[in-house]
Structure formats: structure tokens, C-alpha cells
């Protein structure tokens, strides 16, 4: 399962039309267009070289095939997914591995803290309001 956006869906749709011209056979999504192995699945090595070439052309030398994995897992954390759920989605056995993929900024962490503090403050107000109506704190 791979999450993607609406613009990515448009690009994928266009690629599927192109891929059908190379081969209509079921199997791997990305196929080679080289003369040596036309229509064969791309190897991991070839895929890495393609992404490297695109990254350099876009002046993003640190972008790699693994960058999108980091971005996806970080986005899941920003959306409030639990660490164990992210680890399961990523196929990690240990959450320590998952934590190396998640890159939250100080701004992200501050938003999360503020959201949590609002919930705590609301809970406290609710508890105090109930205490006023019952003549004291329930114990």
C-alpha cells in the first residue's frame, strides 16, 4: 500500500498509459526502456541511478530513493499517528528504527504540545466545574 496525492495520481495515470505501450503484462510497475533489457522490471540499482539523476537535475543532491520514505513516515507522525502504528505501516519490528525516519521540527513539536496542553486545560476546567456543582472534589 502506497499513499499518494491527487497530483501524483495524475502522474501515475499518465505513466500507466506509457507503460502499456512498453508492455501489457502484469507485474512490476516500472519497466526498463533500454535496448539491453527493454520491458524488463527495473532493478533497484537502476531505480537508484534514475532517482539520483533526477535529483541532481533538480539541484537536490541529498534527495534519494529513501527520502520519500522519510517524508511519508514524518507526515504520518504529523497527522497524529501513534509510533507503533507508523512502525507497523513501515514494516519495522522495532520503534527505534521508525524513530530514525521521523523528522519533526520544533514548530511541529510546539503545535503538538499546545494541542495537548489545551486538552489538559479543558479537562481541568471540566473537573473544577463538576467540583463546584457537587460542593467539593469527588474522591
Amino acid at each position: 500500500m502506497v499513499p499518494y496525492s491527487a497530483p501524483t495520481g495524475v502522474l501515475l495515470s499518465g505513466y500507466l498509459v506509457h507503460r502499456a505501450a512498453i508492455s501489457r503484462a502484469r507485474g512490476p510497475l516500472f519497466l526498463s526502456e533500454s535496448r539491453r533489457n527493454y520491458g524488463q522490471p527495473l532493478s533497484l540499482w537502476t531505480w537508484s541511478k534514475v532517482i539520483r539523476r533526477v535529483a541532481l537535475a533538480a539541484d537536490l543532491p541529498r534527495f534519494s530513493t529513501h527520502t520519500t520514505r522519510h517524508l511519508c513516515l514524518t507526515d504520518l507522525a504529523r497527522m497524529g499517528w501513534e509510533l507503533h502504528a507508523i512502525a507497523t505501516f513501515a514494516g519495522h519490528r522495532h520503534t527505534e528504527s521508525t524513530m530514525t525516519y521521523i523528522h519533526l521540527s520544533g514548530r511541529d513539536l510546539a503545535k503538538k504540545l499546545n494541542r495537548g496542553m489545551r486538552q489538559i486545560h479543558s479537562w481541568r476546567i471540566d473537573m473544577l466545574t463538576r467540583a463546584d456543582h457537587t460542593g467539593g472534589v469527588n474522591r
Side-chain angles (χ1 to χ4, degrees), residues 39-108:
Q40 296 300 308
L42 287 183
S43 68
L44 292 177
W45 175 249
T46 301
W47 182 245
S48 292
K49 289 188 332 186
V50 168
I51 296 301
R52 180 75 180 146
R53 197 171 347 152
V54 170
L56 292 174
D59 198 26
L60 297 168
R62 294 179 58 200
F63 190 91
S64 72
T65 54
H66 224 61
T67 303
T68 54
R69 185 171 173 83
H70 285 260
L71 291 170
C72 177
L73 299 183
T74 297
D75 285 343
L76 294 176
R78 285 182 179 138
M79 289 186 297
W81 279 40
E82 295 286 331
L83 183 59
H84 289 284
I86 297 171
T88 300
F89 176 80
H92 295 155
R93 289 186 184 163
H94 305 288
T95 56
E96 293 82 21
S97 300
T98 307
M99 288 171 40
T100 64
Y101 283 83
I102 298 172
H103 309 285
L104 297 176
S105 69
R107 191 172 293 144
D108 292 326

Side-chain angles (χ1 to χ4, degrees), residues 114-128:
N114 287 333
R115 194 169 41 246
M117 292 307 292
R118 277 194 304 274
Q119 288 174 333
I120 290 169
H121 182 69
S122 176
W123 174 77
R124 285 183 179 153
I125 295 293
D126 184 51
M127 292 298 289
L128 289 171

